[in-house]
Amino acid sequence: MVLRNSAVCPSVLEDQFERRRFTRRTDLTNEIRLAIATSALYAKMNGVWGTITELANVYQVSRPFVYSLADDLKEVGQFLFREAAKFVSTSSHRELAIQIILSLRLEARSSIGAISTVMNRFGHKLSSTGSISQVLSRIGRLLPTTIPTENGNIQYLVFASDEIFSKTTPILVTVDPCSSAILRIELTGSRKAEDWKKHFECLYDNGVEAIYLVSDEGKGICAGHAAVLSDVVRQTDTYHAIAHQLGSWTDRLEKAAYKAIGVEDECERKWVSAKSDQVKEKREAKYEKSAEAAKKAVTVYDDFSYIYRCVLGELNVFDGNGNLRDRRQAEDGINVGLALIEELDNKKITEAVNKTKRALPDLFHYFDIAKEVVNECKDLLLDEDLLKVYCIAWQWGKAARKAKKTDRKEKAREREQFCLEIAEGLCEQEPRDLQKEVYSKLDKIVQSSALVECINSIIRPYLNTTKNHVTQEMLNLIMHYHNYRRYSDGVRKGKTPMEILAGKEQANDWIAILFDIIKEKDPELLFAS
């Protein structure tokens, strides 16, 4: 009755609302409240926008009420699962931390300092530079320096061997050019005959034997070959023998020609602008002299670049019709080309020619290998014309991969594709499968150890991030990562070096394979404090 009195009703209601701001709604059952709390907590933890407002509108409740339910659920969950969390293996957190460290070090090529910063930012205990370095070294010691073979089987591979330098410290590397797998990587104090002798012996002891060796003319590697691989042919690296010695002269002579032309133009301008006859006469003589020098520089450049291209052409395995070229013909062609370059009468170029000549005796062994490979291809019961087309296509594909200038690369690719289209018309079976099989055999024809330079470009960033303080453990890690990582582009796209080498599909990622090794050889690492 009192509440109906108009004089007191408003004040009484106000007092009631002051004392009681919220009323428990019986229609919001515990199940509904749990559903609201679950949805809200999920939205908060995953950064989903609009969920809180939507829940408030659907259930006709305030936003603070929704937030309070989510907070209550989170608090209860932390209490309930606090004891269970104690039984979670302590290795899971450390294993995750080690995976992050390995990924940052090898895939992102980050420095130890940068990894430490990242680990600190995300609150990982394993974050000090000393701890990170110790973990990486400990894992590296578990890995071999030489590639392992299965069940003691012997693998016969082409060896491409060379040295990589970390400042003045040599790193001896041997690679299989076909698969790009690193067979052995070794930090040494020198690159003498004894070092290379030990390097090759370790490969043999691990069941990896050479079909033939491709290397430069380094004294240490040549002596090591003579001591251990004397029954194996050593193929002189065609890049170091010719392109490395003579190739740079093309650019040098071109720059010299343009410089001489610039001098000629300047002399002509001064001659034309002269006022007196006496000055004109002097400047005319100077102009004629500069014109003669420019003409000579242009001639030397034209002659050298043409002869050099011809010399490089003599290194081709197949002629324009896909026929295997004769070794003697290639030798004679290069000797004639070098003699013509000497006639240019440039002392420094002649010195480079003499270095090339010293490498000639071991430069053409790959023609003998090519003869065997072509016979193997003929055993595939290929049509002879089809085989020739594939040989030309393979040669253009190889040229495309070696070309550094975009226009040359594109031109070589177009010609390779043109040949493959012709082969497709001649082929009676699935052309791509046959092409793959022929290419894999032709890839055994290795002329250069340039792939080691590619490995150098892969290793170099790691050396730079450690200021060239390289260790064998780090090299072991790099070797494992490279051999088991999957290529994302190029001719080996989608494959790992070990897949190509072993001819078997690799099911696990490189880091999963690495953790299998850790669990087998040093499981305590995953539980260390």
Side-chain angles (χ1 to χ4, degrees), residues 230-400:
S230 57
D231 57 335
V232 173
V233 168
R234 190 188 71 82
Q235 164 67 48
T236 296
D237 178 19
T238 54
Y239 170 77
H240 283 91
I242 295 179
H244 182 68
Q245 298 295 340
L246 301 175
S248 61
W249 282 102
T250 303
D251 291 333
R252 292 190 205 178
L253 294 175
E254 184 179 23
K255 289 178 182 177
Y258 276 118
K259 184 177 180 180
I261 292 171
V263 172
E264 179 189 5
D265 289 342
E266 181 64 16
C267 290
E268 183 180 19
R269 185 187 65 77
K270 290 181 178 179
W271 174 38
V272 172
S273 63
K275 303 299 181 182
S276 65
D277 292 339
Q278 184 178 5
V279 172
K280 279 188 175 181
E281 185 176 346
K282 287 182 178 179
R283 291 184 177 179
E284 181 182 8
K286 194 171 183 180
Y287 163 71
E288 289 176 351
K289 186 176 180 181
S290 65
E292 184 64 27
K295 182 180 179 181
K296 182 178 179 181
V298 171
T299 301
V300 170
Y301 164 69
D302 286 340
D303 290 347
F304 178 86
S305 59
Y306 174 76
I307 298 169
Y308 176 67
R309 286 196 301 271
C310 291
V311 168
L312 289 182
E314 294 297 329
L315 295 174
N316 286 336
V317 181
F318 303 100
D319 62 20
N321 295 319
N323 297 306
L324 181 63
R325 298 182 64 243
D326 181 65
R327 172 176 175 166
R328 178 59 62 183
Q329 180 186 4
E331 290 184 56
D332 292 342
I334 288 180
N335 281 317
V336 170
L338 295 178
L340 291 173
I341 291 175
E342 285 181 303
E343 291 182 9
L344 297 177
D345 199 22
N346 183 305
K347 185 178 179 181
K348 291 184 177 180
I349 296 179
T350 301
E351 289 177 359
V353 168
N354 289 333
K355 291 181 181 178
T356 297
K357 283 183 174 180
R358 288 196 290 270
L360 291 183
D362 293 315
L363 192 64
F364 303 97
H365 293 306
Y366 66 91
F367 279 101
D368 300 328
I369 303 296
K371 188 180 294 185
E372 297 175 7
V373 170
V374 169
N375 288 332
E376 289 179 13
C377 291
K378 288 179 179 178
D379 291 338
L380 296 174
L381 302 179
L382 288 173
D383 176 79
E384 188 174 348
D385 291 333
L386 178 60
L387 177 57
K388 289 179 181 180
V389 173
Y390 274 133
C391 289
I392 301 172
W394 172 83
Q395 190 159 269
W396 279 117
K398 191 176 179 182

Side-chain angles (χ1 to χ4, degrees), residues 164-181:
I164 296 172
F165 288 90
S166 174
K167 288 189 175 179
T168 57
T169 304
I171 301 170
L172 310 187
V173 183
T174 294
V175 183
D176 168 40
C178 298
S179 65
S180 79

Side-chain angles (χ1 to χ4, degrees), residues 192-211:
K192 297 178 181 178
E194 278 301 314
D195 300 298
W196 276 111
K197 180 175 179 289
K198 175 190 171 187
H199 184 88
F200 293 133
E201 284 175 344
C202 288
L203 284 166
Y204 266 58
D205 291 342
N206 281 272
V208 184
E209 299 191 10
I211 299 173

